[in-house]
Amino acid sequence: MSDVAERVKKIVVEHLGVDAEKVNPEASFIDDLGADSLDTVELVMAFEEEFGIEIPDDAAETIQTVGDAVKFIEKSAA
Amino acid sequence: MFDLSGKTALVTGATGGIGAAIARVLHRQGASVAISGTRAEVLEALKAELGERVHVLACNLGKSEEVEKLVPAAEAAMGSLDILVNNAGITRDGLAMRMKDEDWAQVLDVNLTAAFRLSRAAMRGMMKRRFGRIIGITSVVGVTGNAGQANYAASKAGMIGMTKALAQELASRNVTVNCIAPGFIATPMTDALNDKQKEAIIAKVPAGRLGTSDDVAAAALYLASAEAAYMTGQTLHVNGGMAMI
């Protein structure tokens, strides 16, 4: 697993209080990990802080799964 | 009841009568208190009066770069921010026909926009810690209106609407957002009125007297407390019965 994926996983586990094995790339924040709309905002802000990037609102809307987040962050940080 | 030991609070407009009374009561109940206002010497005097657990943060809420820094400064001074009291407010009264754009904008900036921006800055830490209290000091005028105060009434009504929206967004995180709407409160401003003017005001108040800053501060203490956990999106009217809403 890439470094970004590890860090994303850690943030998701911390924020949502879910088991680490549930946090796979296909897992949807809302449908599989029990996040509500506020959680998704908090996660996006946590990603921004962790990786020193800015995730605009329209991009944030496309981040539905753990894999989406990793892909977006890897692309932004590149 | 109403113990605030270990809690941290920021009170804006703490140089005014109501703001200082709120800072005093929160402090007396055990909270650390950051006091903000434009007149540093008045804040220092309040700090000298209260002693420990008080942080002076001079700030002009009419300047957006100063608004930006206030909540981070409070969090840096106290380690966190549990209770935000948006008390600061200004008036630029005048009949609407003669009201300048600038008078409108200044009042909205300080009374409403700054309150929003401070709330936005504070809610992040509150959400993370799953505890927060945001308290806005609005006014009876925000509900009843008042001739000569279109700007002030709009800003205070706006605060009530904002409070309801924020309350809905934050309720699931144990962050409550409420307002207090004082009526006529005895302050240096009302001291300037002559006896006849005072009588005319008091005639409209069933309680038969002006309110005191402490009357308002007691409501703020309740809203700040753990006991008020189930109270959110509401406006407490502290007005001696002059308007029953």
Side-chain angles (χ1 to χ4, degrees), chain A residues 15 36 38-39 42 45-46 49, chain B residues 124 127-128 130 169-170 172-173:
Chain A
H15 268 266
D36 64 17
L38 265 185
D39 288 317
E42 282 183 288
M45 290 170 77
E49 211 166 87
Chain B
R124 193 168 181 185
M127 281 171 65
K128 274 191 184 161
R130 298 293 192 264
E169 291 186 17
L170 302 175
S172 67
R173 300 303 193 270

Side-chain angles (χ1 to χ4, degrees), chain B residues 209-243:
Chain B
R209 65 170 177 90
L210 298 177
T212 67
S213 295
D214 288 339
D215 289 328
V216 180
L221 170 59
Y222 165 64
L223 293 177
S225 71
E227 284 80 358
Y230 203 53
M231 179 90 170
T232 195
Q234 309 299 325
T235 300
L236 284 182
H237 290 269
V238 181
N239 62 26
M242 70 170 282

Side-chain angles (χ1 to χ4, degrees), chain B residues 20 32 90 111 125 175 196 218 227:
Chain B
S32 294
I90 58 168
N111 296 8
V175 177
K196 207 171 173 187
E227 284 80 358

Side-chain angles (χ1 to χ4, degrees), chain A residues 6-25 27-36 39 43 47 65-66, chain B residues 130:
Chain A
E6 271 304 321
R7 285 155 74 190
V8 165
K9 187 170 180 172
K10 189 163 171 278
I11 288 170
V12 173
V13 167
E14 268 173 22
H15 268 266
L16 301 180
V18 291
D19 291 336
E21 62 260 32
K22 277 193 178 170
V23 186
N24 55 56
S28 153
F29 293 116
I30 290 173
D31 297 332
D32 300 320
L33 301 176
D36 64 17
D39 288 317
L43 281 171
F47 295 148
T65 66
V66 177
Chain B
R130 298 293 192 264

Side-chain angles (χ1 to χ4, degrees), chain B residues 81-141:
Chain B
L81 181 58
D82 300 312
I83 301 158
L84 169 65
V85 183
N86 284 312
N87 165 73
I90 58 168
T91 54
R92 294 285 183 272
D93 297 350
L95 293 175
M97 286 215 307
R98 304 275 300 164
M99 186 175 285
K100 295 191 172 69
D101 286 351
E102 195 188 315
D103 294 331
W104 172 271
Q106 270 187 356
V107 168
L108 267 290
D109 274 356
V110 172
N111 296 8
L112 184 58
T113 307
F116 170 70
R117 296 178 68 209
L118 295 175
S119 301
R120 184 178 58 190
M123 66 178 67
R124 193 168 181 185
M126 291 175 177
M127 281 171 65
K128 274 191 184 161
R129 289 192 309 282
R130 298 293 192 264
F131 179 87
R133 298 283 184 264
I134 298 175
I135 301 165
I137 307 303
T138 173
S139 166
V140 63
V141 160

